[in-house]
Amino acid sequence: MAPRLQLEKAAWRWAETVRPEEVSQEHIETAYRIWLEPCIRGVCRRNCKGNPNCLVGIGEHIWLGEIDENSFHNIDDPNCERRKKNSFVGLTNLGATCYVNTFLQVWFLNLELRQALYLCPSTCSDYMLGDGIQEEKDYEPQTICEHLQYLFALLQNSNRRYIDPSGFVKALGLDTGQQQDAQEFSKLFMSLLEDTLSKQKNPDVRNIVQQQFCGEYAYVTVCNQCGRESKLLSKFYELELNIQGHKQLTDCISEFLKEEKLEGDNRYFCENCQSKQNATRKIRLLSLPCTLNLQLMRFVFDRQTGHKKKLNTYIGFSEILDMEPYVEHKGGSYVYELSAVLIHRGVSAYSGHYIAHVKDPQSGEWYKFNDEDIEKMEGKKLQLGIEEDLALDEVQTMVSELEKRNGSKCVRDIYSRCPVGRNIAVEICFRGICIISTDNRLLTPFV
């Protein structure tokens, strides 16, 4: 059957079972194919009768000139730059900024963080006129918070398939041609963001980084001679876990909290005994954040070569992580769910490519974020954190609801206490609406 006839038959199939009095607006739109995607140049070479949204071959030759019919399909189709329905927006790789893009997508899908950033007031007082009308000038973010607002607003509602994060990268002073250490970037940026938000008056904005990512543990040292216990409290935004000699994530956590003996030259000076004594030291987890970052130390220093190297050890991680056995104070809510996996492809600690497997917190669907390209991971739950080419080296894992057991050559696992499918309405501020409206109008000529 010809494609046109196939489309017509599919469009009217509902008429076989729906009675006339039951015909709805949706049936009419289906019959007349109102919401069909535009045809792709190369697949359809002429305005086809089966699709009212086909704009191929309707007069391009006037401005393109006479061209070979066989090469017509090689012309770039502007509609390829448009965002597809029910899909996420990608980020342009500016050279070696894939590590920035993956973290931006992960932070964007933290709904509480996104909403808090939207509440940040603007420093651009001249952007709005007296009556609240947008002034006709290009908006230029001034602070880190405004850059995130700008990017998150576009990631949420832009009609583009991908957007350009160059303003954000430039504001941070990053070299787009050199890949940075992803863990170091995450640490430094979170510290910068926390410091920036600390000046906000709204407590929901001011404390969002601590509420979402900050936990507390104590270094506890016990003197073997007198039994005196000393504590040194410390905040953390991620737990750095050694993976050498381990196969499971839980083993890595157990080693992190394992008791260490201080003996010989490493003896502890006890203030009670006023002398060096044998002692034991360990870490006690006092409180855990809503989003738990577990950094797997896959990049280690090689003393023989004097350089960093990558460990390709396979680490298994469960989709549900119960942290109650590891915390000092029992009885709280310490069950976490996997929500994302950050993966580094490549064999070197100094180069490679980052992608992210992230779970949409509202729909529970998994997506692969690879710069401009985003793929829905339908039927791929068992492959979370595992790439087809097996060239992975780093994985950041964030937790949300999963049912199978996974494994990976990952470097970072992030777990979240927030349940998947939660109904959080993330409302964009008026300035963000203006930005989106302006950006989408620029894309209108391509419709």
Side-chain angles (χ1 to χ4, degrees):
M1 185 181 295
R4 178 177 65 84
L5 297 178
Q6 290 178 346
L7 284 172
E8 289 182 357
K9 185 175 181 180
W12 288 92
R13 185 171 291 125
W14 57 267
E16 299 174 0
T17 56
V18 178
R19 292 181 296 180
E21 60 270 19
E22 296 174 344
V23 175
S24 65
Q25 179 71 22
E26 183 179 355
H27 291 127
I28 297 173
E29 292 174 351
T30 301
Y32 290 96
R33 286 144 279 176
I34 301 300
W35 302 113
L36 277 183
E37 292 290 332
C39 291
I40 299 175
R41 185 169 286 117
V43 176
C44 175
R45 298 190 180 183
R46 280 290 179 265
N47 179 236
C48 62
K49 297 180 180 179
N51 185 355
N53 295 321
C54 178
L55 304 178
V56 177
I58 57 174
E60 294 93 334
H61 63 279
I62 295 176
W63 54 274
L64 289 174
E66 294 298 328
I67 59 176
D68 185 357
E69 178 68 21
N70 294 326
S71 65
F72 187 74
H73 62 278
N74 292 325
I75 300 171
D76 290 336
D77 186 355
N79 280 314
C80 292
E81 304 303 313
R82 295 184 62 82
R83 175 185 186 177
K84 293 183 179 179
K85 187 178 180 181
N86 297 325
S87 65
F88 287 100
V89 177
L91 292 163
T92 303
N93 191 331
L94 306 175
T97 58
C98 53
Y99 68 100
V100 178
N101 290 346
T102 52
F103 275 110
L104 282 173
Q105 296 286 12
V106 165
W107 294 330
F108 168 73
L109 285 173
N110 185 309
L111 303 185
E112 290 80 8
L113 176 63
R114 193 198 315 175
Q115 183 64 78
L117 288 170
Y118 284 161
L119 296 176
C120 288
S122 173
T123 58
C124 301
S125 57
D126 61 339
Y127 184 61
M128 297 297 171
L129 297 176
D131 297 329
I133 302 174
Q134 179 185 0
E135 186 177 356
E136 289 297 328
K137 60 177 290 188
D138 291 337
Y139 170 67
E140 293 290 342
Q142 301 298 315
T143 67
I144 292 300
C145 291
E146 289 179 8
H147 276 287
L148 281 177
Q149 281 181 336
Y150 178 78
L151 285 176
F152 284 2
L154 292 178
L155 286 174
Q156 183 168 334
N157 280 357
S158 175
N159 288 336
R160 298 180 184 273
R161 186 169 68 86
Y162 53 84
I163 59 175
D164 184 356
S166 57
F168 174 76
V169 172
K170 184 178 180 181
L172 293 178
L174 299 175
D175 183 353
T176 59
Q178 182 177 0
Q179 184 168 282
Q180 306 293 328
D181 182 277
Q183 179 191 5
E184 183 179 5
F185 167 73
S186 176
K187 280 184 175 181
L188 293 176
F189 182 77
M190 276 296 154
S191 177
L192 173 63
L193 183 61
E194 182 179 15
D195 181 65
T196 304
L197 294 177
S198 66
K199 304 175 180 64
Q200 296 292 323
K201 295 180 180 179
N202 186 338
D204 293 334
V205 179
R206 185 173 62 246
N207 301 323
I208 187 63
V209 174
Q210 295 94 322
Q211 291 171 355
Q212 284 297 307
F213 307 106
C214 184
E216 186 178 45
Y217 56 59
Y219 289 99
V220 181
T221 306
V222 179
C223 175
N224 289 354
Q225 180 64 29
C226 67
R228 179 180 182 273
E229 180 179 284
S230 64
K231 286 185 179 180
L232 177 62
L233 300 180
S234 178
K235 292 183 178 180
F236 71 88
Y237 295 86
E238 59 187 37
L239 298 180
E240 299 180 353
L241 307 179
N242 172 47
I243 66 172
Q244 289 183 302
H246 302 303
K247 294 183 178 180
Q248 297 296 327
L249 178 63
T250 50
D251 297 334
C252 301
I253 298 174
S254 296
E255 184 192 311
F256 180 79
L257 302 173
K258 184 178 66 175
E259 187 175 271
E260 174 189 5
K261 292 183 178 181
L262 303 179
E263 300 174 338
D265 295 337
N266 199 31
R267 286 186 300 169
Y268 163 73
F269 182 83
C270 177
E271 294 184 358
N272 190 45
C273 300
Q274 285 296 304
S275 62
K276 285 190 173 184
Q277 301 289 340
N278 292 339
T280 58
R281 176 177 293 167
K282 66 177 181 179
I283 294 176
R284 290 180 186 171
L285 292 177
L286 304 180
S287 65
L288 297 177
C290 293
T291 301
L292 179 62
N293 289 271
L294 301 179
Q295 175 69 32
L296 305 190
M297 305 305 290
R298 191 165 295 282
F299 296 155
V300 298
F301 181 76
D302 188 341
R303 294 183 178 180
Q304 293 183 345
T305 63
H307 298 284
K308 284 195 299 183
K309 69 175 182 180
K310 294 164 72 173
L311 301 177
N312 291 316
T313 305
Y314 178 94
I315 298 294
F317 54 89
S318 64
E319 299 161 355
I320 300 294
L321 179 63
D322 186 2
M323 289 294 293
E324 186 170 12
Y326 306 106
V327 295
E328 183 174 27
H329 305 296
K330 310 296 182 182
S333 176
Y334 300 115
V335 177
Y336 288 81
E337 302 175 336
L338 187 67
S339 64
V341 181
L342 179 66
I343 303 169
H344 175 269
R345 296 167 167 171
V347 296
S348 170
Y350 299 97
S351 62
H353 180 63
Y354 286 91
I355 67 170
H357 293 177
V358 188
K359 194 169 193 176
D360 180 359
Q362 293 179 312
S363 70
E365 300 287 348
W366 281 90
Y367 292 83
K368 179 194 292 186
F369 291 84
N370 185 4
D371 293 330
E372 298 93 343
D373 300 319
I374 299 173
E375 174 190 355
K376 187 176 181 181
M377 300 176 66
E378 297 185 70
K380 297 184 179 180
K381 283 188 177 181
L382 293 179
Q383 299 179 24
L384 289 175
I386 299 179
E387 286 298 288
E388 307 79 22
D389 55 11
L390 299 181
L392 318 168
D393 297 308
E394 264 188 87
V395 181
Q396 170 182 0
T397 317
M398 300 173 79
V399 188
S400 287
E401 168 197 328
L402 299 177
E403 306 165 355
K404 305 288 182 182
R405 195 166 186 81
N406 295 286
S408 169
K409 296 179 181 179
C410 63
V411 289
R412 175 178 292 237
D413 291 333
I414 305 177
Y415 286 81
S416 172
R417 272 201 301 241
C418 302
V420 172
R422 57 191 186 276
N423 186 19
I424 297 179
V426 182
E427 299 180 358
I428 301 178
C429 58
F430 179 72
R431 181 174 65 260
I433 295 174
C434 295
I435 293 168
I436 295 166
S437 177
T438 302
D439 185 73
N440 287 342
R441 280 203 305 271
L442 296 176
L443 203 60
T444 301
F446 296 136
V447 175

